[in-house]
Amino acid sequence: DAMVIQNPRYQVTQFGKPVTLSCSQTLNHNVMYWYQQKSSQAPKLLFHYYDKDFNNEADTPDNFQSRRPNTSFCFLDIRSPGLGDAAMYLCATSSTGNREDEQYFGPGTRLTVT
Amino acid sequence: LAKTTQPISMDSYEGQEVNITCSHNNIATNDYITWYQQFPSQGPRFIIQGYKTKVTNEVASLFIPADRKSSTLSLPRVSLSDTAVYYCLVGDALTNAGKSTFGDGTTLTVKP
């Protein structure tokens, strides 16, 4: 089945130690998103790629970066994780980003910062 | 961006119909209304989307009045497995200047 895959499902990192989260998709969608979801809160959009074009949300900290080397893969890099960055990180895709497109979400990676 | 307001939580019993209303007073002409369901430790899952009037699929119905300032997600005959958080999103996806933003969501608890 076509899907959005996130690895790993659980990630533990140390305070200040860079960490990379991975997302891959078999849907061949143009758009890939990264969301941060903290406990009991709604997902918050960090940034998205429309094809190769990177679009950062205005309030996303510089500590968060992303790479999309090809259509299928997208990475979230946290350069110096703080305790406040502990959260579920969700990757999603949509076909064209048009208003009628639904987003397909992966299962998420739960990041713990020690 | 159109802001959405939903009840924080709702309780229901198995077999009942559940209606969750979302308020979006500042909805723009091009905005669609989309609902997602999220179970604990999983990513959100698309339920239904509409622009106006009524939309029905195999899992839910979406009622949108003429002024589009609110919408109601209707889940027929809920079961325990429908216990989840339901998010209402309003936005123009990535086109133009608009994006869909997740509201606070409604936690639905279905009891036996």
Side-chain angles (χ1 to χ4, degrees):
Chain A
D1 288 341
M3 56 173 49
V4 180
I5 303 161
Q6 291 189 246
N7 285 307
R9 293 294 311 278
Y10 300 90
Q11 176 74 56
V12 180
T13 190
Q14 293 178 335
F15 183 93
K17 184 175 181 181
V19 64
T20 295
L21 308 182
S22 301
C23 177
S24 64
Q25 54 128 342
T26 61
L27 298 160
N28 202 34
H29 282 173
N30 284 334
V31 189
M32 296 188 76
Y33 311 74
W34 278 104
Y35 289 84
Q36 178 193 63
Q37 186 174 28
K38 295 187 176 180
S39 181
S40 301
Q41 295 183 19
K44 179 179 180 298
L45 182 64
L46 295 174
F47 27 59
H48 72 271
Y49 273 94
Y50 189 99
D51 197 7
K52 296 180 181 179
D53 294 332
F54 177 71
N55 297 271
N56 200 26
E57 291 299 296
D59 56 354
T60 298
D62 292 340
N63 198 25
F64 292 86
Q65 303 287 321
S66 186
R67 297 170 283 137
R68 188 179 186 186
N70 53 52
T71 300
S72 300
F73 286 87
C74 196
F75 300 98
L76 169 63
D77 301 309
I78 308 176
R79 294 192 296 188
S80 182
L83 298 179
D85 297 327
M88 175 77 85
Y89 290 89
L90 295 162
C91 174
T93 73
S94 70
S95 179
T96 65
N98 289 336
R99 55 180 177 262
E100 64 271 23
D101 279 354
E102 66 180 270
Q103 292 185 35
Y104 294 78
F105 284 83
T109 295
R110 185 166 297 282
L111 178 68
T112 300
V113 182
T114 61
Chain B
L1 294 175
K3 178 177 170 57
T4 59
T5 304
Q6 307 173 230
I8 294 174
S9 63
M10 294 182 68
D11 289 343
S12 183
Y13 291 92
E14 283 192 290
Q16 289 188 334
E17 178 184 76
V18 171
N19 295 308
I20 305 175
T21 296
C22 179
S23 176
H24 29 80
N25 291 316
N26 296 323
I27 189 169
T29 303
N30 292 335
D31 286 346
Y32 275 61
I33 301 157
T34 310
W35 286 80
Y36 286 83
Q37 175 193 56
Q38 187 177 27
F39 298 113
S41 299
Q42 294 187 25
R45 183 176 72 102
F46 173 89
I47 301 175
I48 198 166
Q49 182 186 74
Y51 183 78
K52 61 181 179 180
T53 63
K54 176 184 175 182
V55 179
T56 297
N57 62 22
E58 63 277 7
V59 297
S61 294
L62 179 60
F63 298 92
I64 305 169
D67 66 5
R68 303 198 330 120
K69 293 184 183 299
S70 67
S71 58
T72 299
L73 173 72
S74 181
L75 304 172
R77 299 182 60 79
V78 294
S79 63
L80 297 177
S81 63
D82 292 317
T83 294
V85 179
Y86 292 82
Y87 291 101
C88 163
L89 278 73
V90 171
D92 193 25
L94 299 178
T95 61
N96 300 322
K99 287 190 288 289
S100 297
T101 301
F102 280 83
D104 292 335
T106 297
T107 299
L108 172 66
T109 303
V110 180
K111 302 175 182 178

